[in-house]
Amino acid sequence: MKHKYSLVLLLIFTAICIVITSSKAYSADITVGATTWYAWWDTSGASTDSAFLYGPALGVKFNDDFNLTFVYLYGKFDFEKPGVKTKLKRSDSDLAVNYRLSDYFKVFAGIKYLAASMTEFEHTAYGPGLGLSAALPLYKNIFLLGTLSGFYLWADQEEGGVNSNPHDYGINTMLSIAYYIAPASTTVSLGGRYQYLKHKVDEDTGPDSEKFYGITLTATYTFSI
């Protein structure tokens, strides 16, 4: 799995280099903040509790048409199935380039990274994603935000000493209310997120599915350089 970890790190490093190079040549709006997702997890053959995932939210607006966004979430779930009771660590990350279609809608494409690990189990996946986002004004500095995307991931999995290469695919959607605090250049949003994921190991086993859904809270600060 090490080479795929290296590829993910290389992609993130490349994005950072693009940001630094572009910001030196042109003015740019930088957004930094934090996000959290209190999620319930439904998966077949196991019992899990809800848990918090949390991490940074970053963005760079190069011009009126293009911006780059990066979100990383990490959390631990109580996981129990016959013979196993442990903590499962989960990471969920998205790096995307967004293009403005109109004043209200954007299309985005990028790379999704998912990882899960616990005793005698490790699963790492990455691949492309594509989606549509909307920001609709409701009243003054209050907005309705929404996204809908799909993704297809290649994975490495090790379970009980057995290696496999499943394919993960699914959808992700979010809907939230955002309030922009103009004097502080800060945006706070509260809403919900739903993620449906399938793991297909081979034709004999068929796909296993997972559902993650819950409440999201994000706060970001924007400044220009």
Side-chain angles (χ1 to χ4, degrees):
M1 294 186 189
K2 290 183 178 179
H3 66 287
K4 293 190 177 179
Y5 278 117
S6 300
L7 178 58
V8 172
L9 293 174
L10 177 61
L11 290 169
I12 294 173
F13 176 75
T14 302
I16 293 172
C17 289
I18 292 172
V19 170
I20 294 173
T21 302
S22 300
S23 63
K24 287 182 178 180
Y26 310 98
S27 62
D29 293 333
I30 309 296
T31 298
V32 296
T35 184
T36 184
W37 181 19
Y38 187 74
W40 286 265
W41 175 22
D42 289 345
T43 184
S44 57
S47 173
T48 60
D49 290 335
S50 55
F52 277 102
L53 295 97
Y54 50 87
L58 308 172
V60 180
K61 181 181 178 181
F62 300 108
N63 52 46
D64 290 338
D65 292 327
F66 287 96
N67 72 301
L68 181 71
T69 55
F70 174 73
V71 176
Y72 176 80
L73 287 163
Y74 172 82
K76 295 181 181 180
F77 289 86
D78 290 325
F79 181 91
E80 185 175 359
K81 66 179 183 179
V84 177
K85 186 176 182 180
T86 185
K87 288 278 189 181
L88 184 140
K89 301 175 184 178
R90 179 177 171 84
S91 297
D92 187 324
S93 179
D94 295 281
L95 176 68
V97 176
N98 303 261
Y99 176 71
R100 185 176 70 93
L101 298 174
S102 69
D103 290 340
Y104 304 129
F105 295 95
K106 292 181 179 180
V107 64
F108 59 89
I111 297 169
K112 187 168 190 65
Y113 170 75
L114 288 173
S117 63
M118 63 182 181
T119 304
E120 295 187 350
F121 175 85
E122 187 172 0
H123 181 96
T124 305
Y126 69 95
L130 181 67
L132 183 71
S133 65
L136 307 177
L138 296 179
Y139 177 75
K140 293 185 178 180
N141 291 343
I142 300 175
F143 299 86
L144 177 67
L145 307 179
T147 65
L148 176 64
S149 62
F151 52 86
Y152 186 89
L153 314 178
W154 294 273
D156 280 340
Q157 181 169 300
E158 182 178 346
E159 183 172 11
V162 178
N163 295 315
S164 60
N165 298 106
H167 298 279
D168 298 345
Y169 53 96
I171 61 169
N172 187 80
T173 183
M174 289 186 287
L175 187 67
S176 61
I177 299 292
Y179 176 60
Y180 177 61
I181 307 170
S185 300
T186 298
T187 302
V188 178
S189 62
L190 176 67
R193 178 180 179 183
Y194 174 84
Q195 185 179 95
Y196 180 71
L197 180 67
K198 281 191 173 184
H199 310 285
K200 184 173 177 59
V201 179
D202 55 48
E203 295 181 356
D204 296 328
T205 59
D208 291 326
S209 63
E210 299 180 39
K211 298 176 184 177
F212 289 87
Y213 52 92
I215 301 167
T216 62
L217 177 64
T218 303
T220 57
Y221 169 71
T222 301
F223 60 95
S224 297
I225 58 172

